[in-house]
Amino acid sequence: MKNKTKITLERFETSKYRLIVEGIGVGLLTGLLVSSFRMGLEQAESLRGSVLLAVKTGGVSSLICALAALICAYIVVWYASRRVPLCTGSGIPQVKGELLGQMEQNWWQVICAKFIGGVCAIGAGLSLGREGPSIQLGAMVGKGFSRLSGRLRTEEKMLMTCGAGAGLAGAFGAPLAGVVFSLEELHKNFSTEILLSTMAASIASDFVSSYIFGLSPVFGLSVEGKLPLSRYWMIILLGIALGVFGVFYNWVTAKVQDAYDRLPRRSMRIAVPFVCVIGLAAFFPYALGSGHGLVTEVAAGNFGLSMLAVLLILKFCFSMMSFGSGVPGGIFLPLLVLGAISGGLFTVGAGNIFGFEDIYLANFVILGMAGLFSAIVRAPVTGIILITEMSGDFKNFLSVATVALAAYITADLLHGKPIYDQLLSRMLSKQTAYGTTEETRGHKVLMEAQVYIGSRMDGEKIEKMLLPPGCLVVSVERESREIVPSGSTVLRGGDKLILLCSQGDVQKVEEKLDNICRKIKM
């Protein structure tokens, strides 16, 4: 019988087109699941609005019913978080952790807990988003597809990537963003196999989502036209401000999580944002929920300068308290809302100082979302494409790219760490096994790496890579031809490497490859 390593290598050589077909299957299943999740959230948020209205007009009995519903939601979220700890938070760090071999999630438990916990948490009014849960749900669909069909671990990681991209595509109607997110954020590496299979999955998921929710973009903004070039200095100024805000956002996120860690029980941590819901529902309901509708209202000019400032502060604080508590829910949508409010605040303030035209308010709302996303997540290409697809506005591509670049450079100069890398490092620092065992860490997987032109390994022999023990370069692809490598094989910029290593060593190998193959030598 062939050993597992040989089977892994043989299946990898013939996997490209099979993965495309499997990606379509994962995409369709993910589209159904994520669309169901999205419908559940819409129903829960609609119910919350009806309950708040009933409390205002119905007296004490309606108030008691509302409090009882909030307590029930709290109990469900607490139980889901306690029963399946890896369902908590955004879910994107968990997906990245499993792709790096540092975590092992039970796919069906995570799907159930994330779905129910996310609907109850966001529906109850916590300031959380659907995108992180959707990405984790999609990744678990890919993992379940792999386990039920007996795929190898290398294929499983690719199918998880397909599901993650399909989850983002289905959540926001943004198939291109789903593909780019998988390459830019999850793998931080370009691969033809991942590109094609994830594209197939994202398109399939978006087809299902569009069939259910229609073809209209998520944010129905009325954009009058392109910003004049004479105003681009304001775009750069906005990008710098958003870069600083993004670094501050990530710093506060870490501090809030530190504060929550001092609470001795999970039940106490989760109770904090639920108690806040009561106060906000009574005095400032605008801050409740993901805030999806706020983007349109800000772009329409429904808020003045002081109201935008208050809204930004309260939404920021409540988002921190909601996410820091560790309940199931993401940060994508709340941070986009914060970016939209920031863009609106900047435009109204600039209008008062420089006589800026309100006709460009919607443009700056879009720019605010793209800039803050780029600063916080540090995935500017994903941010540009995501905001373009979500807003349905392709007229301001140049200005969106400009603000994303300015925000990214500012955050990088301030040495801000990308939010999902920060969250993953925090999880892994707790010395928890996260479901992994010696057996799972010993599974052999294949990895891909590109040798960048000008990197340390450009022109060096393979033996100079000094990879961890047990990790081998099994193939070098150069200009569409395959080279069987040895230690004396000289690598060139543009070579694609296939490496074989244990699943538990993936993170160490990735860090090594980042330093010697994916970083330009200055």
Side-chain angles (χ1 to χ4, degrees), residues 20 268 289 326 434:
I20 293 174
M268 296 172 64
Y434 290 114

Side-chain angles (χ1 to χ4, degrees), residues 18-35 107 111 134-149 151 155-170 182 194 196-209:
R18 185 178 67 253
L19 276 171
I20 293 174
V21 176
E22 292 175 347
I24 294 173
V26 169
L28 292 173
L29 293 172
T30 299
L32 288 171
L33 179 61
V34 169
S35 294
W107 64 271
I111 287 176
S134 297
I135 289 170
Q136 189 179 20
L137 288 172
M140 292 302 97
V141 169
K143 183 173 184 176
F145 185 98
S146 171
R147 292 295 171 92
L148 294 176
S149 57
R151 297 293 184 257
E155 293 174 272
E156 179 173 294
K157 292 179 183 297
M158 291 186 175
L159 290 173
M160 286 180 62
T161 304
C162 290
L168 180 57
S182 299
I194 295 173
L196 295 176
S197 56
T198 307
M199 183 179 293
S202 296
I203 291 171
S205 177
D206 185 52
F207 179 85
V208 175
S209 176

Side-chain angles (χ1 to χ4, degrees), residues 245 284 298 303-317 338 340-342 344-346 348-349:
F245 186 20
F284 201 85
V298 172
F303 300 111
L305 185 65
S306 57
M307 183 63 174
L308 285 171
V310 172
L311 184 58
L312 180 64
I313 294 170
L314 290 180
K315 188 65 179 174
F316 174 81
C317 293
L338 290 172
I341 299 170
S342 300
L345 186 64
F346 180 86
V348 175

Side-chain angles (χ1 to χ4, degrees), residues 84-111 113-114 132-133 135-144 147 153 156-157 160 164 424 427 433-437 440 503:
V84 187
L86 287 177
C87 84
T88 58
S90 165
I92 295 175
Q94 290 91 315
V95 174
K96 293 183 68 173
E98 182 150 358
L99 292 176
L100 291 173
Q102 303 300 308
M103 297 181 184
E104 185 72 26
Q105 301 172 81
N106 184 307
W107 64 271
W108 66 267
Q109 288 185 357
V110 169
I111 287 176
K114 196 76 170 190
I135 289 170
Q136 189 179 20
L137 288 172
M140 292 302 97
V141 169
K143 183 173 184 176
R147 292 295 171 92
R153 290 303 173 102
E156 179 173 294
K157 292 179 183 297
M160 286 180 62
L424 178 59
M427 293 182 70
Y434 290 114
T436 59
T437 62
T440 58
Q503 182 166 295

